Amino acid sequence: MAHTPHHSHGHGGRDASGMRLLFTLGLNFIIPTVQIIGGLAAGSMALISDAVHNYSDFVAVFIAYVAHRLGRKGATPRQTFGYRRAEILAALGNTALLLAVSAFILAESVKRLAHPEPVAGGIVVLIASLGIVGNGLSAWLLHRDSKDNLNLRGAFLHMFGDMLTSVAVAVSGLIILWRPWYWLDPLLSAAVSLFIAKSSWSILRQAVNVLMNAVPLHLDLLEIHAFLEGLEGVKGVHHLHAWSLCSSQAAFSCHVVVADQMVSQTAALTEEITRGLHETFAIEHVMVQFETTACGQGELLGCDLGQGPAGK
């Protein structure tokens, strides 16, 4: 079997992502503390629910930071791929936390809708404005790293969602200053809870796909199959598998049928396959098993050794 990893772990050097997470962690402890005090003083369920959500973000960012640090550890004899999937587990845990917070906010909002209470609009606007600045800064800090990392994308969505929530709370506070529509506050809280739940779904789906070793969304096995069979010297390709090592690295393995030859003669083909898969499909980790006849029935996805010539 030819095994040619074509990737860089990037564990060395200054951990800028970790520093941004730490700074975000500090902001997400200070902001909800002020919001809770202001929400109690103003009698605003929207402000309190936003604060509870922000406290959950403090926990979420803490989990994200621990997973980020753990994910930078190298491979060990027991964890041969390292700890990169710790970030996927963190994303899954943070999503569960978000859904629980959404349910809590929704339940409290329904209670307040049935019995609206006076809300001090001025305090709501002031505290919500603080949330806009703090959450906006946190989202900006995490945005750079969120494109290729599911764990950090989850943290970014937490912050971006909080910023939008704070904007909505500030708007409701301004309206209440002019009109005593106290029902608007819990109604907004209910809308916030639904928004949080919706934004969590995509992260949950991606995290589950990684843990289930599903084919990464950006890959099509039929396209990869056609690409490999088009290479000179390849007679057939079967037993294809593609999965995610973490949210930013894909792995791939397959059986390749070639003419009977010395193992050393497959080196050039191995390099061509590895380079082609990396450049064309962004696959970082490639494993190829060469065969002179297809095992089993030569099926695209499987290799049933209990059937066919290879199983006899």
Side-chain angles (χ1 to χ4, degrees):
M1 176 179 288
H3 173 201
T4 310
H6 198 291
H7 60 271
S8 169
H9 294 290
H11 295 317
R14 183 170 173 268
D15 184 12
S17 297
M19 293 299 295
R20 285 190 283 270
L21 276 170
L22 275 178
F23 188 78
T24 303
L25 191 65
L27 281 177
N28 278 273
F29 180 77
I30 296 171
I31 292 173
T33 301
V34 175
Q35 285 180 316
I36 284 286
I37 296 172
L40 291 173
S44 171
M45 185 59 211
L47 204 53
I48 294 174
S49 65
D50 191 25
V52 172
H53 180 207
N54 283 337
Y55 270 130
S56 77
D57 286 344
F58 172 80
V59 177
V61 175
F62 178 74
I63 293 173
Y65 177 74
V66 172
H68 172 76
R69 297 295 301 174
L70 191 60
R72 287 171 58 85
K73 293 179 63 176
T76 69
R78 294 292 298 173
Q79 301 291 336
T80 57
F81 282 112
Y83 292 82
R84 283 169 287 181
R85 281 199 176 178
E87 297 192 341
I88 305 301
L89 293 174
L92 194 63
N94 281 337
T95 301
L97 181 61
L98 272 174
L99 293 174
V101 169
S102 299
F104 169 78
I105 294 175
L106 184 60
E108 292 300 314
S109 300
V110 169
K111 292 179 184 178
R112 187 66 70 91
L113 272 172
H115 304 285
E117 298 180 9
V119 175
I123 298 178
V124 171
V125 173
L126 179 63
I127 303 300
S129 298
L130 174 64
I132 293 172
V133 175
N135 291 320
L137 179 58
S138 297
W140 178 75
L141 286 171
L142 297 177
H143 179 261
R144 178 188 304 177
D145 305 307
S146 67
K147 299 176 182 178
D148 301 316
N149 187 298
L150 191 62
N151 177 38
L152 296 179
R153 192 182 312 162
F156 165 73
L157 285 177
H158 272 278
M159 300 302 103
F160 186 71
D162 284 351
M163 183 187 71
L164 294 181
T165 300
S166 295
V167 170
V169 172
V171 170
S172 74
L174 287 172
I175 294 174
I176 290 172
L177 283 174
W178 296 96
R179 293 286 187 272
W181 296 344
Y182 299 132
W183 50 266
L184 185 62
D185 188 86
L187 183 64
L188 176 64
S189 297
V192 167
S193 68
L194 295 176
F195 171 79
I196 295 170
K198 182 178 182 297
S199 65
S200 304
W201 175 249
S202 63
I203 296 176
L204 176 63
R205 182 167 60 89
Q206 292 178 64
V208 169
N209 280 341
V210 172
L211 294 177
M212 292 294 292
N213 286 331
V215 176
L217 296 177
H218 71 283
L219 296 181
D220 185 327
L221 285 185
L222 292 179
E223 289 184 6
I224 296 174
H225 183 265
F227 170 80
L228 292 174
E229 288 207 326
L231 298 177
E232 184 178 356
V234 174
K235 292 185 174 182
V237 181
H238 58 280
H239 202 33
L240 279 70
H241 294 281
W243 67 99
S244 298
L245 296 176
C246 58
S247 57
S248 59
Q249 289 189 347
F252 175 80
S253 69
C254 69
H255 293 186
V256 177
V257 181
V258 296
D260 196 357
Q261 58 190 287
M262 297 285 289
V263 174
S264 59
Q265 292 178 289
T266 64
L269 181 57
T270 299
E271 175 61 25
E272 185 178 4
I273 290 173
T274 302
R275 185 177 62 252
L277 290 176
H278 178 70
E279 294 176 353
T280 307
F281 300 99
I283 296 175
E284 302 283 344
H285 193 96
V286 177
M287 291 165 284
V288 178
Q289 178 173 315
F290 290 110
E291 301 171 342
T292 55
T293 57
C295 63
Q297 301 299 312
E299 297 178 352
L300 177 71
L301 299 179
C303 190
D304 187 353
L305 298 181
Q307 301 180 21
K312 293 181 179 180

